[in-house]
Amino acid sequence: MTNPIEVRNPRTGKFDYVIIPPPPRLLAQQCKRTRRGQVRWQQLGLEGRIEALQQWKEAILTGRDRLTEALVNDTGRLSTSILEIDSFLSSIDRWCKLAPDLLQESAKNTAIPFIALQQTSVPYPLVGIISPWNFPLLLSTIDTIPALLAGCAVIVKPSEIAPRFVAPLKTALSAVPELRDVLTFVEGAGATGSDLIENVDLVCFTGSVATGRKVAEAAAKRFIPAFLELGGKDPAIVLESANLELATSAILWGSVVNTGQSCLSIERIYVAESIFEKFYHQLVAKAYRLQLAYPTVESGEIGPIIAERQAAIISSHLLDAVEKGAVIHCGGVIEDLGGGWWCRPTVLTQVNHSMKVMTEETFGPIMPIMPFSTVEEAVSLANDSIYGLSAAVFASEAEALEIAQQIDAGAISINDAALTAIMHEGEKNAFKFSGMGGSRMGAAALKRFMRKKAILIKTNDTNDPWWFENGE
C-alpha cells in the first residue's frame, strides 16, 4: 500500500485534501485495462470518437459548478479558472472540427509507374500524460484531446499539488462508457509518473527542465517518444518605435496573468535607452492598480502562489537581485495572508544577467527591466538564456519582424504578449532546454500521436519483382 499524499490549499495553507497513489502493480493493471479498451476505441472510428468526446463535454457542462469549485480550491484563483475551463471545452470543439481533415488517408501514384503508394497512419496504443500544477485542467487535457481523437488510449497523471479537478472529470466520464474505458486519471507524485512511463507507448510531459530530463532519459531507455514542454524565461524587447501604452499593458498582462505562474510569462524586459524611464514609470503605475484576490477570490486580479516551494524560489530571486544592486519600485515581498503566500506585481530596475531574476525561471509576477543601446545588444540579451520557449517584440511591424527572425525561441508575439495562449494554429518547437518533440500547436499536435505507414502496391500484372522490371 502506498502512502497517502496530503494536498495543501493555496489560499488557506491548510492540508485539506488527500490522494492515494496506486501501487506499481495496480497502475500496471490500469494501463493494461486501458490498453485493451484502445482496440475498441480505434474501431469505433473518428465519428464515434467525436461523438463520445462531445458527450463528455455535455456531461462536464452539467457539472460545471463542481469543476469550477474544485479548480478554485486547487489554484486559489477564480477568473483564470473560469477561463481555463472555457479554453478546455472550446478545445474539444476545435479538435473535433479539425480532426476529419487532418486524419484523412491518401493514395497516390509514385515516380515508379507500376508502384502505387497508400499513405496511412496508426495511433500509438497508450499515451501517458504527466501534467503540472499551474494550469492543472488545461495542461492535463491539451495533449489528451488530440491523442484521443487520433485513436489512442490515454492515462493522465496530474500534479499532486493540484489534483482536486480530477474528481469532477471522472464523474462526467462515468456518463460516457466508450470514453471511460480509454481515458484514465491516476493520482500521485514523481514515483507514480516514473511508473507510468514504464507502461505506456508515448509520453507527454509539461514541467521543469530537471524533471523533463529524467522523463526523456526514462523514455529513451524504453525506445518510446517523449514530447516535452519545459521551462521558459521569455524576453520582451521594446524599441523606440513601440506604442508604449500598448507595450506596458501587454507586458504587464503577460507577466502577471495567473500570478506569473505560466511557462509563457514575460520574465525579463529589454527597453531602448531613450524610452527606458518613461516605460518603467508607466509600467509601475499600471502595476500599482492591480490588487490581490484577497480576502475573497473576487477581491482582485492577483491570485496566490499555488506551490509553496515556488514562494521560496521567488523570494530567493528577489533577495539575490537586491543584494546585487537591483532597485524594487513596487511589490517585492512575499506576503503571508490567511495562510496563503502572495506576491504583488513587482517591477525591478538596475538588473543584469548576473542575477537569478534575469537568468533562472522565476514563475511569479516579477518584471525586471534592463535598458539596451542597440538592436544587436537587445537580441544578444534576449538570446543569452538556456531557454527558448517564446518571446515578444514591441516595435513597428517591419522592425519587429526582422528582430523576431533573430530570436532563438519557438513563438514570437509581435506587439502583444503570449499570443500562443489564445492562438493554437501556429506550429512551434521549443528551442534549447525549453523542450523537445513535435509541436503541440497546429496540425502536428494531432499527427504526432500517429505512426505513419507506407503501403507500396505493385500494380502491373507481370510475375517478376521490381528489379527485373529495371533490368537487374
Side-chain angles (χ1 to χ4, degrees), residues 67 89 203 206 218 281 283 325 327-328 340 382 431-432:
L67 178 59
L89 294 173
V203 61
T206 307
H281 282 301
L283 187 63
V327 175
I328 294 176
F431 285 41
K432 303 178 184 177

Side-chain angles (χ1 to χ4, degrees), residues 306-431:
I306 298 171
E308 189 169 22
R309 63 173 177 262
Q310 201 63 42
I313 292 172
I314 296 169
S315 183
S316 71
H317 284 198
L318 291 173
L319 180 61
D320 173 75
V322 170
E323 287 179 345
K324 293 175 179 175
V327 175
I328 294 176
H329 297 274
C330 58
V333 178
I334 303 297
E335 302 178 53
D336 180 354
L337 299 174
W341 297 109
W342 303 78
C343 183
R344 299 175 191 273
T346 299
V347 177
L348 302 91
T349 59
Q350 301 297 316
V351 295
N352 58 61
H353 280 217
S354 73
M355 301 174 183
K356 294 178 182 179
V357 77
M358 294 297 287
T359 56
E360 299 180 13
E361 189 172 37
T362 307
F363 229 57
I366 312 301
M367 294 163 278
I369 316 171
M370 186 173 174
F372 64 83
S373 57
T374 66
V375 170
E376 291 76 17
E377 182 188 6
V379 171
S380 177
L381 288 167
N383 288 337
D384 182 22
S385 175
I386 65 169
Y387 299 106
L389 194 60
S390 51
V393 182
F394 294 83
S396 68
E397 187 171 323
E399 285 182 300
L401 287 171
E402 184 177 350
I403 291 172
Q405 296 293 338
Q406 302 173 59
I407 295 177
D408 297 331
I412 317 296
S413 297
I414 303 297
N415 291 322
D416 212 325
L419 288 178
T420 52
I422 59 171
M423 204 287 289
H424 297 160
E425 283 83 353
E427 294 187 8
K428 66 183 182 69
N429 294 115
F431 285 41

Side-chain angles (χ1 to χ4, degrees), residues 136-159:
L137 171 64
L138 191 60
L139 293 179
S140 67
T141 56
I142 192 170
D143 299 311
T144 297
I145 304 305
L148 287 167
L149 285 168
C152 310
V154 178
I155 293 191
V156 182
K157 203 292 289 182
S159 170

Side-chain angles (χ1 to χ4, degrees), residues 33-53 103 105 120-127 146-154 177-183 201 446 449-453:
R33 184 171 63 251
T34 308
R35 187 188 294 276
R36 287 195 299 268
Q38 186 271 334
V39 177
R40 295 187 298 275
W41 180 247
Q42 185 178 354
Q43 292 172 347
L44 191 62
L46 180 57
E47 288 187 8
R49 296 196 290 272
I50 289 173
E51 183 180 350
L53 281 167
L103 294 178
E105 296 185 349
T120 185
S121 301
V122 293
Y124 286 90
L126 184 59
V127 171
L148 287 167
L149 285 168
C152 310
V154 178
E178 297 88 352
L179 190 56
R180 182 185 59 206
D181 292 340
V182 291
L183 176 56
D201 305 303
L446 192 153
F449 296 109
M450 310 289 287
R451 291 172 291 183
K452 293 181 179 179
K453 296 179 72 173

